Amino acid sequence: MTQHFTAPDRLTGTTGTQWWRDAVIYQVYPRSFADGNGDGMGDLDGVRSRLPYLRDLGVDAVWLSPFYASPQADAGYDVADYRAIDPMFGTLLDADALIRDAHELGLRIIVDLVPNHSSDQHEWFKRALAEGPGSPLRARYHFRPGKGEHGQLPPNDWESIFGGPAWTRTDDGEWYLHLFAPEQPDLNWDHPAVADEFRSILRFWLDMGVDGFRVDVAHGLVKAPGLPDIGGADQLKLLGNDVMPFFDQDGVHEIYRSWRTILDEYDGERIAVAEAWTPTVERTANYVRPDELHQAFNFQYLGAPWGAAALREVIDVSLAAMRPVGAPATWVLSNHDVTRHATRFANPPGLGTQLRTPGDRELGLRRARAATLLMLALPGSAYVYQGEELGLPDVTDLPDEVRQDPSFHRAAGQDGFRDGCRVPIPWTVEGSSYGFGEGGSWLPQPDSWAGLSVQAQTGDADSTLELYRRAIAARRAHPGLGAGDDLRWLEAPDGVLAFAREGFVCTVNLTGRLVSLPVSGRLVLASAPVAVDGDRFELPADTTVWWTV
């Protein structure tokens, strides 16, 4: 029986508001958020216990990274059973309780969906291996004979995102495709059973009451006919910069149109969000046409450097690309796959490198705070990754023996330092895991994190946590912020961005120097202290200011 849930909108007190157009959505990485049973690993009961914190932060929805039954070869993105909870996270009853509690607090729940690949421990794949070449179950994946006289070479030259060939040979001599780890065989979406299964999975979780799905590798489901060679190109460098035979194929859109019909059957404005790495924002817009998905992550914005020209260009391009399809732009600075922006914006920057001086850390945090106010002032929806509201940097000095990112252990793949942004977050100033749980934490936390904890920052008007709370509240309260695509650039000195929305002005100094500017209205919020003197003010380096007019 379909469960019809309609959550109240905390801004308007009504429903039917297309809440997702201006939502602030908070990503929870369950294993690193809160540990409810003291085993050192975060779980659903831990997330449930911290929902009031997220309500008080002011976010509209919570996106949960995978918690499904999984061997955990890739932190749960290798799913063995899409309708079961991994025991390390809890049970289906725990998931049901979490969803219900969230709704009672006015929070919506978005869950990760992983349709590009399953685990090699999924029942389909285990049977496919056991039944051998030519079996019906093998047709649900990409099994192929190898090249060479004895089939000893991979079927094509595709590379795994994690490094090495994208093919693994089985004991019977056939090869199977895995764009990620060998434990993550790619599903064959040309097979009708795959499409049928995922429509059923969607309904299962919608009937549980979830409010939407974040679609992992949304650009990867369909492969080019014949699985053609790429021809020796550096595939890792081409990712996100070109249409690949295994990514961003036009056939994915038929899949998402079928999903949209299912989402629209349910009350409460259920949504789907695409993780789609595409060459251009215009191609990303294809995923959010009116009959497809609702949002797509804006990776071009996430990847933009800290500079006025680059940010202005990506903002303009993003808004222009979304207008023809009527979709909201999305803005994101960090997630579980990239270096936290408090580290990324530091000088010297560097993925997987340590911040070498206290000055580096201070600069990274200063820019991160300014970037947050810029992001929250832009038209559309914003995503917040757990811990960024605390100003957490990446942990870059983790010992090799504790790392669990599969790409760390494979040559020539991703840099392998994603563990640095996944370290469990601190809640209290004391304790073996700073309040994460009673049994320590699965990745070690730096000693300095006591001062960055929720407890340490709560009530401190100058803290990053209180800045986030004030910014999200002001965003919700101001009629000119949130949904829409209105943005008018104002004249500003080189290195400074200034734009107006209805009754609102945002000014950002991306230079390394103090800039004197005319006052734009009533000062609402600033990422760092600002001196106002009459009709002018001094805008410090790497600082954002909000005004009402």
Side-chain angles (χ1 to χ4, degrees), residues 306-320:
W306 184 249
L311 285 169
R312 177 167 176 166
E313 179 180 9
V314 74
I315 291 167
D316 282 340
V317 169
S318 299
L319 293 173

Side-chain angles (χ1 to χ4, degrees), residues 368-390:
R369 288 164 59 98
T372 294
L373 289 195
L374 169 59
M375 176 183 75
L376 292 175
L378 295 171
S381 180
Y383 282 77
V384 173
Y385 177 50
Q386 66 174 48
E388 73 172 73
E389 77 279 14
L390 305 177

